[in-house]
Amino acid sequence: MRARRMTHVLITATAAGSLLAACSGAGGSSSDGGDGKSINVLMVGNPQMEDIAKLTKSTFTKDTGIKVNFTILPENELRDKVTQDIATQAGQYDVATVGAYEVPVWQENGWLHEMGTYADKDSAFDKGDLLKPMVQSLSAADGKLYALPFYGESSMLMYNKDVMTAKGITVPERPTWQEIADIAAKVDGAKPGMKGICLRGLPGWGELGAPLTTMVNTFGGTWFTKDWKAQVNSPEFKKATNFYVDLVKNHGEVGAPQAGFTECLNAMSQEKVAMWYDATSAAGSLEDAKSSKIAGKVGYAYAPVVETKSSGWLWTWAWAMPKTTKNADAASKFMLWASSKKYEQLVGEKLGWARVPSGKRASTYEIPEYKTAAAAFGDITLNSIQEANPTNPGVQPRPTVGVQFVAVPEFQDLGTKVTQEISAAIAGQTSVDKALNDGQKLAEEVAKKHQ
Amino acid sequence: MTALTERPKKGAPPSVRPQPPTGVSKWRRRVPLLPALIFTIIVTQLPFVATLVISTFQWNILKPGERHFVGLSNFSFVFTDERLRTAVLNTIVLTASVVLISVVLGLGLAMLLDRRFVGRGLARTLLIAPFLVMPVAAALLWKHAIYNPDYGLLNGTLNAVYRFFGADNGPTVDWISSYPMSAVVLSLVWQWTPFMMLILLAGLQAQPGDVLEAARMDGASALATFRFITLPHLRQYLELGILLGTIYVVQTFDAVYTITQGGPGKQTTNLPYEIYLTMFRKYEYGEAAAAGVVVVLGSIVIATFALRTIASLFREEVSR
């Protein structure tokens, strides 16, 4: 009932929304009428966003007189809502957080304001300080910047130092996947119920799809060639996927087909696994003594590789301004402030340096207080982000920008469905070959639309 | 449907109106109701019409320039797509097993509760509780507290039993991955058994005591009484439970989304979840709408049967 009703309601709402938009012209209708005194911001419900919601009134609003109304939603709902709002030109929001995946796709549809010019005009913003991969992943084919990064992350390997010491194992700073698989076999069972490594097995292009694609990249595979030939059942893709699936099956966390970021974080911090390959932003949680048994005992290494020099992914949550906004000036002021050095300083002083929205500016890593707070993982995080190359993450040229995703509208669906099958292979319900051959058919359909 | 509306009239008392109302007075009576009627049409029928219209479009909201009319090709996609066929099959398996198992369990519990014993009220309240838990909360509870291979109740119990017999640790079974459909079915059975129990308990308590007493006097065994008297009496209650249950369980979303995400692979992807994926991962509104229309038509067929059953229940009450 709920699901169907929800579908109905949304379809109707969308239909109604697009009708309204058609009536009111391309500009849409903003509830505030564009007086520039108040803006609506839609954000993903991550801790960094909750921090800014707390800090805005006493600082930004006080200084500029611009009132900011925040709407905070979990990631999936945010994506649904922001896509509906922008696609139907409803114009409810002046600013929305978007990820590296959305920017190129939406820009192509002409949904986003160009932001580079705003950033250039504000000398205090120091656009040149933004990390290059961040700028690249938020730029469109025309080379212009369409969103301002709020924080960024790459991926890395995290391990339990106690377990490694007890077994006499040294984890290389730049390991290969084979080395990691060997270590996983050795530390499997190091403590009662402890597994070798946690790798996501939960379906979803942003769950299992993310670490798997970095592995495919470094094994020499790709989803598509530069001229849009689907490569999902190519030997390299197969080799990488088999390696991933075997590693999880043999030495991975229990309940792997249901384990996503959250489950792995839990398994790692409760000493149920000895290693974990995932987002650099996980370090903050692992080092939090309140929730983690291994705070202070975590070692960090770069994303394991095979054929490439580095293999970390690249993700950023960034501020974008829909074209439908009538408060462009006020909205841009807020966006520039939220991504500024000044804001990082504010968070550090008021809430603690570990909570600074990091990973987007080189200067963050020169702040002495931040350096101390992130001593264990700061350097690897920064280097991993800088080494990530969103335009050329593998061994061959790509058709789109993006490390762990293909920036076309169809990828959400393709990635979800292929990872569903791979998750089934991890569960032992199907074979990798069958999963990838089915995936190849889906990928060919997508390729056809872009050739 | 015509038989449905005509038949109850036969038993109804004859009209007491002295004369048929004239055109003006007819409208005088109708006008105050019109806003409600219009409101009902707007909130129930317009969305469906909109869905019908959208189902004839090729419409991906991420490609604003490419929306166009495609006639019935979305429907042909719905009927030929392998994923959707799997989803239909899964929906049938899921619904049938949940409804049948919960009817059988519900019947057993209703029979037990039909007897008088100390604490019956408390037992009844506790048994109803699962039905009152929000579906998402129930699904989360099953996923984490019961099925989780690390800290779930099932493996915990297994381990405890193994340890009791001297072993180190029991086997670590990943319930959700190994038995995905059963895992979803079990959690839904837990939720729906109380519903069946309530309906069947009402049926049992409506059983005429004199008939049962007569059977006892005639020396019928408990089994024979149940088979030849109670079960026929319960037939309509059973039908009602099965049909209402079917209508709701067909639309299960929370359990699938939360416990298995439709997986592994598409082993537990049912129609609502597949439509959700079409809508929010693929953003193909036309396809999602077409699939939605097909589900609605299917549900209408089931609902028609349900309404007939309810109507026959009422008829029986009147004729009694």
Side-chain angles (χ1 to χ4, degrees):
Chain A
M1 174 68 74
R2 274 169 306 278
R4 204 183 68 214
R5 214 185 264 158
M6 185 177 74
T7 319
H8 276 178
V9 170
L10 283 169
I11 289 173
T12 324
T14 323
S18 58
L19 280 177
L20 282 177
C23 295
S24 62
S29 54
S30 171
S31 51
D32 296 312
D35 54 10
K37 284 288 166 216
S38 145
I39 56 171
N40 296 325
V41 177
L42 180 65
M43 299 191 293
V44 65
N46 293 346
Q48 290 89 332
M49 276 71 177
E50 275 153 21
D51 286 347
I52 199 170
K54 264 181 250 155
L55 293 172
T56 300
K57 203 177 164 194
S58 60
T59 50
F60 179 74
T61 305
K62 204 175 144 209
D63 293 346
T64 59
I66 300 167
K67 198 170 164 283
V68 185
N69 309 309
F70 289 107
T71 308
I72 303 182
L73 292 173
E75 183 167 345
N76 279 338
E77 275 102 283
L78 169 108
R79 231 173 234 133
D80 295 345
K81 180 136 189 155
V82 78
T83 311
Q84 309 270 355
D85 186 65
I86 292 191
T88 57
Q89 315 265 299
Q92 204 184 338
Y93 298 102
D94 303 300
V95 178
T97 54
V98 295
Y101 170 69
E102 282 90 1
V103 171
V105 176
W106 291 3
Q107 192 277 326
E108 202 162 306
N109 289 337
W111 291 345
L112 301 177
H113 256 290
E114 194 265 321
M115 288 311 299
T117 339
Y118 285 103
D120 287 334
K121 272 188 228 155
D122 183 352
S123 57
F125 183 76
D126 192 3
K127 190 175 146 206
D129 182 37
L130 294 177
L131 299 174
K132 198 172 154 230
M134 289 293 145
V135 175
Q136 270 180 336
S137 65
L138 299 175
S139 298
D142 60 8
K144 290 179 185 162
L145 190 64
Y146 282 88
L148 300 179
F150 185 45
Y151 68 90
E153 66 175 32
S154 183
S155 54
M156 64 184 171
L157 187 92
M158 294 155 270
Y159 56 90
N160 188 323
K161 279 202 281 198
D162 284 0
V163 171
M164 299 301 162
T165 319
K167 288 264 171 189
I169 298 168
T170 319
V171 181
E173 200 190 17
R174 289 183 178 273
T176 65
W177 271 115
Q178 195 51 55
E179 284 170 338
I180 292 306
D182 294 342
I183 296 175
K186 279 184 207 151
V187 294
D188 199 343
K191 289 187 177 187
M194 181 182 259
K195 290 292 186 175
I197 188 166
C198 204
L199 287 172
R200 300 183 193 177
L202 186 70
W205 69 272
E207 286 285 357
L208 162 60
L212 176 74
T213 303
T214 65
M215 199 183 272
V216 168
N217 286 338
T218 193
F219 269 77
T222 177
W223 286 82
F224 298 99
T225 61
K226 189 168 177 49
D227 49 355
W228 287 106
K229 295 266 184 322
Q231 295 290 308
V232 175
N233 64 355
S234 70
E236 296 83 7
F237 205 116
K238 272 192 179 163
K239 208 174 145 200
T241 312
N242 271 313
F243 189 89
Y244 193 98
V245 171
D246 287 344
L247 184 55
V248 184
K249 260 184 168 173
N250 297 334
H251 306 296
E253 71 280 14
V254 281
Q258 275 79 43
F261 176 83
T262 317
E263 287 77 10
C264 277
L265 174 62
N266 193 31
M268 184 73 188
S269 51
Q270 299 308 311
E271 302 201 287
K272 297 277 183 190
V273 293
M275 292 186 285
W276 178 27
Y277 170 61
D278 217 302
T280 51
S281 59
S285 308
L286 286 183
E287 299 290 354
D288 181 0
K290 264 180 263 160
S291 59
S292 167
K293 278 190 188 173
I294 54 167
K297 295 190 277 182
V298 192
Y300 300 89
Y302 288 89
V305 292
V306 178
E307 288 187 17
T308 54
K309 274 171 88 180
S310 65
S311 182
W313 73 52
L314 193 71
W315 187 253
T316 164
W317 280 110
W319 307 104
M321 193 201 301
K323 275 233 173 111
T324 46
T325 178
K326 287 187 172 168
N327 298 307
D329 268 350
S332 70
K333 269 186 203 148
F334 170 76
M335 293 158 82
L336 289 166
W337 171 73
S339 293
S340 67
K341 291 178 194 170
K342 207 171 128 194
Y343 177 72
E344 289 187 3
Q345 204 74 34
L346 178 75
V347 174
E349 281 160 15
K350 290 236 162 136
L351 304 173
W353 287 96
R355 278 161 81 169
V356 166
S358 57
K360 63 173 182 292
R361 288 180 171 278
S363 60
T364 315
Y365 295 85
E366 282 154 24
I367 305 172
E369 294 96 327
Y370 183 77
K371 266 185 163 171
T372 324
F377 54 86
D379 285 351
I380 289 190
T381 303
L382 176 64
N383 291 342
S384 296
I385 292 172
Q386 279 175 328
E387 284 170 11
N389 184 350
T391 53
N392 191 16
V395 301
Q396 64 280 87
R398 307 290 164 111
T400 69
V401 175
V403 179
Q404 75 282 21
F405 53 82
V406 185
V408 290
E410 296 88 357
F411 185 72
Q412 272 202 66
D413 182 50
L414 175 68
T416 302
K417 283 178 181 160
V418 174
T419 51
Q420 258 189 353
E421 294 302 316
I422 295 171
S423 176
I426 294 174
Q429 310 268 10
T430 184
S431 70
V432 169
D433 276 8
K434 176 156 188 328
L436 294 184
N437 287 338
D438 289 354
Q440 172 73 7
K441 279 181 215 145
L442 297 171
E444 278 166 5
E445 290 297 312
V446 173
K448 256 188 236 162
K449 294 179 188 163
H450 292 276
Q451 271 158 0
Chain B
M1 289 302 272
T2 46
L4 235 183
T5 47
E6 273 168 14
R7 255 197 247 159
K9 261 190 199 163
K10 282 182 202 159
S15 171
V16 288
R17 285 189 210 122
Q19 62 202 40
T22 60
V24 177
S25 70
K26 240 192 217 168
W27 278 105
R28 199 171 290 154
R29 200 174 301 172
R30 281 179 193 162
V31 164
L33 287 173
L34 274 181
L37 181 68
I38 292 168
F39 179 75
T40 312
I41 290 177
I42 289 174
V43 297
T44 64
Q45 301 310 303
L46 280 191
F48 187 63
V49 173
T51 312
L52 275 177
V53 173
I54 293 169
S55 69
T56 59
F57 276 89
Q58 149 92 53
W59 182 7
N60 186 322
I61 61 160
L62 292 178
K63 297 178 183 171
E66 295 174 22
R67 182 173 50 184
H68 60 274
F69 181 74
V70 289
L72 295 179
S73 80
N74 283 327
F75 287 93
S76 74
F77 174 82
V78 167
F79 285 108
T80 52
D81 185 45
E82 192 238 330
R83 285 186 64 96
L84 275 162
R85 252 177 308 165
T86 317
V88 170
L89 213 67
N90 284 336
T91 310
I92 295 171
V93 171
L94 183 75
T95 311
S97 34
V98 169
V99 170
L100 292 180
I101 297 173
S102 45
V103 162
V104 172
L105 289 179
L107 180 62
L109 290 172
M111 306 270 293
L112 291 174
L113 280 183
D114 195 32
R115 293 155 187 270
R116 283 179 195 287
F117 58 90
V118 182
R120 184 166 76 156
L122 182 71
R124 197 158 39 190
T125 314
L126 287 177
L127 280 170
I128 295 167
F131 193 59
L132 306 178
V133 178
M134 275 196 309
V136 181
L140 282 172
L141 179 81
W142 278 84
K143 181 180 181 183
H144 292 290
I146 295 174
Y147 293 136
N148 188 291
D150 253 349
Y151 48 81
L153 194 65
L154 281 178
N155 278 352
T157 314
L158 263 184
N159 284 342
V161 171
Y162 268 71
R163 263 185 234 128
F164 183 76
F165 288 105
D168 254 2
N169 239 334
T172 308
V173 185
D174 186 359
W175 300 96
I176 299 175
S177 308
S178 316
Y179 314 101
M181 187 56 99
S182 315
V184 177
V185 167
L186 194 59
S187 80
L188 287 169
V189 164
W190 178 78
Q191 277 229 296
W192 283 95
T193 300
F195 173 80
M196 302 298 177
M197 183 193 79
L198 278 181
I199 290 184
L200 295 175
L201 188 60
L204 283 174
Q205 296 192 333
Q207 226 179 170
D210 48 349
V211 177
L212 293 176
E213 206 180 322
R216 211 164 34 241
M217 299 292 270
D218 287 345
S221 69
L223 196 69
T225 315
F226 175 73
R227 216 188 125 189
F228 295 107
I229 298 176
T230 307
L231 216 52
H233 166 78
L234 280 183
R235 206 192 104 196
Q236 282 165 328
Y237 295 91
L238 284 169
E239 283 176 357
L240 179 68
I242 290 175
L243 287 163
L244 287 182
T246 308
I247 291 173
Y248 281 102
V249 178
V250 158
Q251 295 152 355
T252 299
F253 179 78
D254 314 59
V256 172
Y257 178 80
T258 310
I259 298 177
T260 61
Q261 299 252 318
K266 25 187 195 291
Q267 289 184 24
T268 54
T269 303
N270 65 349
L271 274 168
Y273 188 67
E274 181 66 29
I275 293 175
Y276 164 82
L277 287 182
T278 312
M279 188 84 180
F280 293 115
R281 293 296 169 268
K282 212 172 170 188
Y283 290 108
E284 287 285 354
Y285 282 21
E287 280 170 23
V293 169
V294 173
V295 176
V296 170
L297 293 180
S299 298
I300 287 176
V301 173
I302 304 173
T304 311
F305 283 109
L307 286 176
R308 264 190 205 163
T309 313
I310 296 172
S312 77
L313 264 182
F314 284 134
R315 229 176 13 251
E316 192 144 287
E317 290 299 319
V318 170
S319 66
R320 207 173 258 162

